[in-house]
Amino acid sequence: MSDSKLYALILTPTRELAIQINNHLKAAAKYTGIKIAVVIGGMSIQKQERLLNQRPEIVVATPGRLWEMIENGNHHLSQVGSIRYLAIDETDRMLEKGHFQELQNLLELINVDEKIKKKRQNFVFSATLTMVHDPPKHLKLQKKKLKITPGQKLQSIMTALGITNPKVIDITSESGTARTLTEARILCTLEEKDFYLYYFLQRHPGRTLIFCKALAAYVDWHICLLY
């Protein structure tokens, strides 16, 4: 890789995940001379320009900032259409209609050349790909009783990425929930979330794992845990 081309692109939905992947790759490539750069929001574009000026062979990015830098004419990212390897994490979420429009723009750009597209290796990862879930909101509003099946998810991803002969590795267990756990859903307003969280932490003491969609939400939950 002495010519310092852009060989691989790894896309993630969040900057936290991109940073995590970037750190793991740098540790794995420590003695190889392979350069890796992360392109995410929340970091100055000037700093990321300097990182890309080093011509890294692998770029880990979130779609929004990556597309912004491509539109701004970054020279190294102009090679994105000829990458050999494309990896997307949380793929079904990333490709869901109405989300990550920049990713759709990227895929259109990457798939322009049919010869290069056929030679490119695509790696898609998801913890929920083989799970059946409710349809997007725009279909719910139409009162259509549809469930998105694993086969439909896979076909949608294949179409978006231009994959014709996928190899699927499924390590999903038969049950998505451990037998010792009880699953429940509470419908409440945004203002009531903290009260419900506090109640369950007091009512069921022990080790607790709380998932949040955003860093700001995490801060809010963390404050609740201090009480």
Side-chain angles (χ1 to χ4, degrees):
M1 294 188 179
S2 58
D3 53 355
S4 296
K5 288 184 179 179
L6 178 58
Y7 283 86
L9 177 62
I10 301 172
L11 298 173
T12 74
T14 66
R15 62 184 180 184
E16 291 82 10
L17 183 54
I19 291 171
Q20 181 182 0
I21 293 172
N22 178 62
N23 292 339
H24 284 305
L25 286 176
K26 284 187 174 179
K30 184 175 181 179
Y31 302 105
T32 65
I34 297 173
K35 297 184 291 296
I36 304 158
V38 62
V39 175
I40 55 174
M43 184 186 297
S44 73
I45 289 183
Q46 292 75 16
K47 181 176 180 180
Q48 293 178 340
E49 289 282 1
R50 290 195 295 270
L51 292 173
L52 292 172
N53 285 340
Q54 298 175 17
R55 302 181 63 81
E57 291 87 359
I58 302 173
V59 168
V60 186
T62 51
R65 176 53 63 87
L66 182 69
W67 183 248
E68 180 182 358
M69 297 191 73
I70 289 175
E71 285 193 313
N72 288 341
N74 180 272
H75 179 69
H76 191 58
L77 293 180
S78 66
Q79 305 176 67
V80 74
S82 58
I83 56 173
R84 296 184 186 178
Y85 310 99
L86 172 64
I88 305 179
D89 201 5
E90 297 192 30
T91 311
D92 49 344
R93 173 188 167 189
M94 294 267 277
L95 292 176
E96 187 174 297
K97 188 175 181 180
H99 293 80
F100 298 100
Q101 180 57 46
E102 296 90 351
L103 177 59
Q104 304 295 334
N105 298 337
L106 282 166
L107 293 178
E108 290 178 11
L109 177 62
I110 291 171
N111 289 330
V112 165
D113 191 313
E114 285 292 330
K115 291 183 179 179
I116 294 177
K117 183 175 73 171
K118 290 179 179 179
K119 292 180 180 179
R120 187 181 72 233
Q121 282 189 285
N122 300 292
F123 303 89
V124 297
F125 302 93
S126 173
T128 57
L129 182 60
T130 56
M131 293 183 181
V132 177
H133 63 77
D134 292 328
K137 290 182 179 179
H138 70 278
L139 290 181
K140 284 186 176 181
L141 293 174
Q142 298 174 19
K143 297 182 179 180
K144 294 183 178 181
K145 296 182 178 179
L146 299 173
K147 290 285 186 178
I148 298 177
T149 66
Q152 289 172 326
K153 284 188 187 180
L154 184 59
Q155 185 58 53
S156 174
I157 291 169
M158 288 170 56
T159 301
L161 296 180
I163 301 173
T164 55
N165 186 29
K167 302 295 186 295
V168 180
I169 301 174
D170 185 4
I171 58 173
T172 306
S173 60
E174 292 184 1
S175 175
T177 305
R179 295 178 180 177
T180 55
L181 295 180
T182 300
E183 218 173 356
R185 180 184 181 185
I186 295 177
L187 298 176
C188 63
T189 65
L190 184 64
E191 293 77 13
E192 295 173 329
K193 284 201 310 178
D194 290 355
F195 298 111
Y196 276 107
L197 175 63
Y198 182 75
Y199 167 78
F200 280 110
L201 291 176
Q202 292 295 318
R203 182 68 177 81
H204 304 283
R207 291 182 298 175
T208 304
L209 183 62
I210 301 168
F211 293 93
C212 300
K213 287 186 177 180
L215 185 60
Y218 170 77
V219 173
D220 291 340
W221 288 130
H222 183 67
I223 293 172
C224 286
L225 289 173
L226 293 178
Y227 284 108

